Amino acid sequence: MMQMSEYKVLPQNAPQDENGAVVLQPQAANAGINANGAENWMSIPVGMPNCPQGLEYLTALDQLLVSQKIEKLELLTGFETKNRFKVKNSLGQNVYFAFEESDCCTRNMLGRSRPFEMKILDNFQNEVLHLYRPFKCDLLCCFPSCMNAVEVSAPPGQVIGSVEQVCTFMRPKFNIKNTFGDTVLQIEGPLCPCKCFSDTNFKVLSANNEEIGKISKQWSGLGRELFTDADYFSITFPLNLDVRMKALIFAALFLIDVVYYEQ
C-alpha cells in the first residue's frame, strides 16, 4: 500500500462539500519549504466557472515540474514498484501528487506493456484527475492492439479526452483527443527519444501545426539515469489554454514516460 507521508493532516475546519471533499486549499505564504520544515502547497485559484473541481490550479499555470520518486526497493533489487510523482509549479510549490495503481504481477511480468491507473491527488488526497491505460503489446507494429493510449477523466468518472499513440516509424507522435474523439492537439517527439547528457523535447502542436508548448524529459545525471527509472519532466503550455487541454497534455507525460523511459 502506498504511503501518504507527503500529505498534511486534514484540518478540522477545512471547507468541504456534501461528499466530504475539500473545496478550498490552504494558502501558501512562501514557495519551497516553510519555517516549520513542511513543504508548501500552491493556493487554489477561486472563481473559475466551468472548471472541473481540482483543476483550478492549472488555470493559473503555464509550467509544471514533475519528478518521479526514487523507490529504494526497486533500486536495490530491481523489483518493479508502483510509480509515484511529485508535481510542482515554477516556484517550487506542490500542486499535485500522482501515483500508479497496478498489481505486482503485471508490473514485473508485463513491464511497460502493463495496464495501470494513475491517480492525481491534491493536498488533501482528493482525486482530481484519473488516467486509465489498458494493456498494449510491446511490439513494433501498427495494429490497434499495439498503439498505446490513456483515457483521462476529471473528475474521476467523467471522461474529458484521451491521448493516443500514432503509428509511425520515424518520430514518436501522439494525438490528443477531446470527449468527441476529435484530434485537437498533437505531440511530436525527436527521432531519438532516448538522449544522453541532454534534455529530450516533445513538441505540443496545435491543429495548425504551430508549436504551443512542450514536454521535456530532463537529463538527471548519469547515476540516476543508469540505475533508476526515476525521471524529471517539465511541461509548458499557454497560460490561456483551456484547462481540460492542459490536463490532457499533463496526462500525456505519463504515457510518454511508460512507453519510452520505463526500464
Side-chain angles (χ1 to χ4, degrees):
M1 179 179 295
M2 188 194 109
Q3 298 180 356
M4 294 292 186
S5 57
E6 289 83 1
Y7 292 106
K8 303 174 185 178
V9 176
L10 176 64
Q12 294 182 354
N13 60 349
Q16 303 178 29
D17 62 15
E18 63 274 9
N19 297 318
V22 176
V23 296
L24 183 63
Q25 299 292 324
Q27 301 294 308
N30 300 294
I33 306 298
N34 63 26
N36 297 323
E39 294 187 4
N40 284 326
W41 286 75
M42 177 182 172
S43 301
I44 187 170
V46 295
M48 301 295 172
N50 194 31
C51 178
Q53 184 174 320
L55 297 189
E56 294 93 343
Y57 301 97
L58 298 180
T59 63
L61 297 175
D62 60 5
Q63 183 180 32
L64 291 172
L65 305 175
V66 182
S67 60
Q68 185 173 354
K69 295 179 66 65
I70 295 178
E71 304 294 345
K72 295 180 181 178
L73 176 63
E74 186 172 327
L75 180 62
L76 294 174
T77 66
F79 187 84
E80 185 69 30
T81 57
K82 297 178 181 179
N83 291 328
R84 299 186 294 171
F85 302 83
K86 279 188 176 182
V87 184
K88 297 176 180 285
N89 61 18
S90 59
L91 298 177
Q93 298 170 318
N94 289 318
V95 182
Y96 297 118
F97 182 72
F99 69 95
E100 175 187 349
E101 282 287 3
S102 60
D103 64 75
C104 176
C105 290
T106 56
R107 282 198 310 274
N108 289 277
M109 295 180 66
L110 299 179
R112 68 183 67 189
S113 300
R114 67 184 181 273
F116 65 83
E117 297 178 34
M118 189 69 69
K119 297 184 177 182
I120 289 84
L121 312 179
D122 64 14
N123 185 18
F124 294 117
Q125 304 181 39
N126 296 321
E127 185 179 3
V128 300
L129 199 61
H130 187 95
L131 281 57
Y132 171 67
R133 191 266 184 132
F135 167 78
K136 296 294 179 181
C137 67
D138 193 20
L139 299 175
L140 295 177
C141 65
C142 286
F143 293 112
S145 60
C146 298
M147 295 293 98
N148 293 279
V150 290
E151 182 184 75
V152 186
S153 301
Q158 185 171 328
V159 177
I160 62 170
S162 63
V163 183
E164 300 179 7
Q165 187 181 24
V166 178
C167 177
T168 174
F169 296 102
M170 298 294 288
R171 296 178 181 273
K173 291 185 179 181
F174 298 85
N175 287 336
I176 294 179
K177 298 184 177 182
N178 59 21
T179 52
F180 303 105
D182 301 323
T183 299
V184 290
L185 296 172
Q186 289 187 319
I187 296 174
E188 183 180 283
L191 286 173
C192 179
C194 300
K195 295 181 180 179
C196 294
F197 306 105
S198 64
D199 297 348
T200 304
N201 296 320
F202 291 76
K203 296 184 292 185
V204 180
L205 306 174
S206 68
N208 299 323
N209 209 38
E210 177 186 357
E211 183 176 348
I212 62 168
K214 66 181 178 179
I215 298 172
S216 297
K217 193 272 182 186
Q218 300 175 342
W219 174 256
S220 56
L222 188 61
R224 188 176 179 120
E225 295 285 347
L226 285 178
F227 300 110
T228 77
D229 57 7
D231 300 308
Y232 290 116
F233 292 91
S234 67
I235 310 171
T236 58
F237 36 57
L239 183 63
N240 61 352
L241 186 66
D242 180 82
V243 69
R244 292 168 180 81
M245 296 300 103
K246 291 183 179 181
L248 290 171
I249 296 172
F250 177 38
L253 178 151
F254 298 104
L255 183 60
I256 290 172
D257 178 49
V258 75
V259 171
Y260 296 106
Y261 304 112
E262 188 80 1
Q263 298 177 358

